Amino acid sequence: GAVVSQHPSRVICKSGTSVKIECRSLDFQATTMFWYRQFPKQSLMLMATSNEGSKATYEQGVEKDKFLINHASLTLSTLTVTSAHPEDSSFYICSARRQGGAFFGQGTRLTVV
Amino acid sequence: GQQLNQSPQSMFIQEGEDVSMNCTSSSIFNTWLWYKQDPGEGPVLLIALYKAGELTSNGRLTAQFGITRKDSFLNISASIPSDVGIYFCAGLTGNAGKSTFGDGTTLTVKP
């Protein structure tokens, strides 16, 4: 069964609004989670590393004020897309490491209209 | 930064045929992972490899961790229509957990 749960799976929002995406590790504690963005027919692009109890580490070119990450507990990380614009429309996926490998959530399809 | 070269980019095969795809890198990885992604879904872990030379099977899937730790392959035997999807390799170094992904292999299986 799934070990990482992501919610919501789909969201449509108006331009200028903010959207929060949740990523939960279901049966293990994850001090580190990862947020990816995926464009159609492309590979996963790492956006940031979410660290429990401390600031996230962002990859080069990713705006930290645009993509707010909070990792308040050992089982939950959230990604908030602030003041969303149509170009932020994409598939966002989180993952967490556990013994046995890195496991992914189901992904969130964000559409900004 | 680290890069993975995954090939082939796409494959069109007949049901029942075997499939082989691979990933190579100029960097050494401690762990190799293979994923399958269906449209609109997150990647699902198929096989994890932890030691150089390791050969691991999961049903009709077999993957190997190259001796040099710079490559890995995935084989699918006797393909079926539900094997359709995008397959990604990923390499991990250390305990930081950050994964480097290949560009994916899109598999199409014709009944």
Side-chain angles (χ1 to χ4, degrees):
Chain A
V3 296
V4 177
S5 177
Q6 192 173 335
H7 178 81
S9 58
R10 294 178 182 274
V11 58
I12 300 173
C13 71
K14 290 185 177 180
S15 187
T17 62
S18 296
V19 173
K20 180 184 285 188
I21 303 169
E22 294 186 347
C23 182
R24 295 181 184 275
S25 56
L26 296 183
D27 59 357
F28 66 103
Q29 294 180 334
T31 56
T32 305
M33 292 186 179
F34 304 91
W35 287 96
Y36 295 85
R37 184 172 180 176
Q38 187 178 33
F39 293 101
K41 299 186 179 181
Q42 292 189 23
S43 189
L44 288 79
M45 181 187 76
L46 180 65
M47 298 175 65
T49 302
S50 174
N51 304 300
E52 188 270 333
S54 64
K55 292 181 179 179
T57 305
Y58 291 81
E59 295 300 301
Q60 190 173 9
V62 178
E63 300 175 59
K64 61 178 70 174
D65 295 329
K66 174 76 170 175
F67 300 100
L68 299 179
I69 291 173
N70 183 275
H71 195 148
S73 78
L74 288 170
T75 59
L76 173 65
S77 174
T78 61
L79 169 68
T80 301
V81 182
T82 63
S83 186
H85 291 285
E87 58 265 31
D88 297 325
S89 298
S90 191
F91 194 55
Y92 293 87
I93 314 172
C94 68
S95 81
R97 285 288 301 276
R98 196 193 77 171
Q99 187 176 4
F103 297 86
F104 286 83
Q106 303 94 320
T108 297
R109 170 71 61 192
L110 171 63
T111 303
V112 184
V113 298
Chain B
Q2 296 172 320
Q3 285 188 318
L4 290 184
N5 297 309
Q6 185 172 349
S7 64
Q9 185 176 12
S10 61
M11 301 183 74
F12 296 83
I13 63 170
Q14 207 71 35
E15 182 177 359
E17 291 182 352
D18 296 343
V19 172
S20 184
M21 60 191 78
N22 69 84
C23 279
T24 60
S25 173
S26 57
S27 303
I28 290 175
F29 291 101
N30 295 330
T31 302
W32 281 93
L33 305 172
W34 284 94
Y35 295 89
K36 178 176 184 274
Q37 185 177 26
D38 292 325
E41 302 288 333
V44 174
L45 182 63
L46 300 174
I47 292 179
L49 303 160
Y50 305 104
K51 295 181 182 179
E54 179 181 354
L55 183 71
T56 297
S57 294
N58 178 8
R60 294 178 294 107
L61 278 62
T62 301
Q64 185 159 31
F65 193 147
I67 292 291
T68 63
R69 295 165 63 192
K70 294 182 179 180
D71 63 300
S72 177
F73 71 74
L74 174 70
N75 287 342
I76 305 174
S77 62
S79 59
I80 59 178
S82 62
D83 290 334
V84 166
I86 303 176
Y87 292 79
F88 290 100
C89 62
L92 277 66
T93 53
N95 295 318
K98 190 184 295 189
S99 305
T100 301
F101 281 87
D103 289 335
T105 295
T106 301
L107 178 64
T108 302
V109 180
K110 296 180 244 183

